[in-house]
Amino acid sequence: MVIYNPKDWWKLIFAFHKSDTFRIMLPGILGMVVYSTLIIFLEKDVFDVSFKNTTSIHSLVGFALSMLLVFRTNTAYERWWEGRKLWGGFVNSSRNLAFKLNPMITDKVIKTRIRILLVNYLNAAKEQLRKGVSHTDLQPTDRYSIADMMKDEHVPNCILKYIHIELYELLKNGTFTQEQMLYINAELQSLGDNMGACERIKKTPIPYSYSIFLKKIIFIYIASMPFGFAMEFGYWTAPIVALLFYVFASIELIAEEIEDPFGTDANDLPTDQITDTIEKNLEEILG
């Protein structure tokens, strides 16, 4: 995720980050300029034909297209913001669990083991939502090796299982009481619930029919503009079409990027920084 100052207008206006839609759309923008210029040349200088009253049609279609893009952007941002709230839930649940376990567990070895398992769980959750967990994302404990944690297909579930085993053994040997287990149960459940909710966002993209329909409408709308605008604007139609293509296509491009917020793109959630923060917090709380 790009960290920036939203009040620095001039720097943002003239910034061309690798994630900036203008850089990504530049080949398409130049292609639309060439395409529009060719259509205008053929219409005005070769065939001497003109299409009248199409600007009003494009105005009506443009309004409908704008409404579709607003809905598309709002839906994508809602997924992004829900993902951020879920990772905020990971932060709160892990801290609260550590606060509750710290006075309840006196054995430093067990306390360290649970702390490492919690950190591993969150790192595994982060990578599971990306391209999968690797050995370098985890650290072993005195009881569980990295191979033990990765023996199941769903690595976060495997690690959370070991956390439950550790706490259940503390209940069996009398370190915990039933009331204390109920006291920490909400945080344990929240860890699993947040992971499931993140997977729901990850594995449920916008319906295919809606996505392909919107892209086709944008293409048809932009590609048909030079035919109707050439008579009224002449060769100025080319930059006008290129600008509108940049606007509409960029909105769709941004929505595509933020609807899956768990990757490593510039506009995705800062899950690396969040997990680093959680790890530091757990070290401070549990030692």
Side-chain angles (χ1 to χ4, degrees):
M1 184 178 183
V2 177
I3 307 300
Y4 67 98
N5 180 10
K7 298 181 180 179
D8 197 348
W9 275 59
W10 293 109
K11 183 177 180 181
L12 294 175
I13 290 172
F14 294 103
F16 291 96
H17 190 266
K18 65 178 181 179
S19 67
D20 188 82
T21 54
F22 182 80
R23 290 169 59 99
I24 299 172
M25 300 301 301
L26 186 58
I29 293 171
L30 296 177
M32 291 308 302
V33 171
V34 174
Y35 165 77
S36 300
T37 304
L38 178 62
I39 295 298
I40 298 164
F41 172 74
L42 294 175
E43 184 177 330
K44 291 177 62 67
D45 300 333
V46 177
F47 298 107
D48 193 24
V49 295
S50 63
F51 299 90
K52 296 182 179 180
N53 298 325
T54 58
T55 53
S56 59
I57 297 174
H58 277 88
S59 298
L60 293 173
V61 176
F63 177 77
L65 180 58
S66 299
M67 294 298 100
L68 288 173
L69 287 172
V70 167
F71 174 76
R72 175 77 169 97
T73 305
N74 288 344
T75 303
Y77 182 76
E78 183 180 352
R79 293 162 60 91
W80 186 92
W81 183 242
E82 184 181 1
R84 182 61 186 90
K85 290 193 291 185
L86 290 170
W87 273 91
F90 275 130
V91 174
N92 295 337
S93 297
S94 58
R95 285 175 179 170
N96 290 336
L97 182 60
F99 281 130
K100 292 178 179 181
L101 291 178
N102 184 51
M104 293 164 57
I105 302 174
T106 57
D107 191 321
K108 293 185 178 180
V109 175
I110 297 176
K111 190 181 294 187
T112 301
R113 186 188 306 153
I114 293 176
R115 175 181 59 81
I116 294 174
L117 287 173
L118 279 172
V119 172
N120 283 345
Y121 175 76
L122 295 164
N123 281 321
K126 174 189 67 177
E127 297 302 329
Q128 186 81 11
L129 295 168
R130 292 177 177 177
K131 296 181 179 180
V133 187
S134 68
H135 289 77
T136 56
D137 301 318
L138 307 176
Q139 51 181 317
T141 71
D142 62 309
R143 184 176 181 182
Y144 306 106
S145 66
I146 294 178
D148 291 331
M149 301 178 205
M150 296 192 64
K151 67 180 182 180
D152 293 344
E153 182 177 353
H154 197 287
V155 179
N157 279 354
C158 185
I159 298 173
L160 191 58
K161 175 179 65 178
Y162 291 138
I163 295 175
H164 278 270
I165 289 174
E166 289 295 316
L167 297 177
Y168 181 70
E169 288 183 354
L170 292 174
L171 175 64
K172 285 182 63 178
N173 63 28
T175 303
F176 283 0
T177 64
Q178 290 286 354
E179 290 76 14
Q180 288 174 317
M181 284 296 292
L182 290 173
Y183 178 57
I184 64 175
N185 183 65
E187 279 67 37
L188 289 172
Q189 183 175 342
S190 178
L191 291 174
D193 289 346
N194 287 345
M195 184 64 200
C198 288
E199 289 176 319
R200 169 174 51 79
I201 296 174
K202 175 73 176 180
K203 296 180 179 180
T204 312
I206 187 171
Y208 174 75
S209 298
Y210 185 89
S211 180
I212 194 172
F213 171 77
L214 190 55
K215 289 177 173 60
K216 286 180 178 179
I217 289 297
I218 292 174
F219 175 77
I220 294 172
Y221 178 78
I222 297 297
S224 62
M225 290 185 73
F227 293 96
F229 283 34
M231 188 68 183
E232 185 172 350
F233 299 106
Y235 281 95
W236 282 103
T237 301
I240 293 173
V241 170
L243 176 62
L244 291 174
F245 172 74
Y246 166 67
V247 172
F248 286 119
S250 294
I251 293 173
E252 171 65 10
L253 194 67
I254 293 170
E256 287 178 356
E257 183 173 333
I258 67 174
E259 70 178 355
D260 181 8
F262 305 117
T264 56
D265 294 328
N267 293 310
D268 287 334
L269 295 173
T271 50
D272 287 324
Q273 292 89 333
I274 293 173
T275 50
D276 289 342
T277 299
I278 294 174
E279 182 172 1
K280 293 176 182 178
N281 292 158
L282 294 182
E283 288 176 356
E284 291 172 355
I285 297 170
L286 294 175

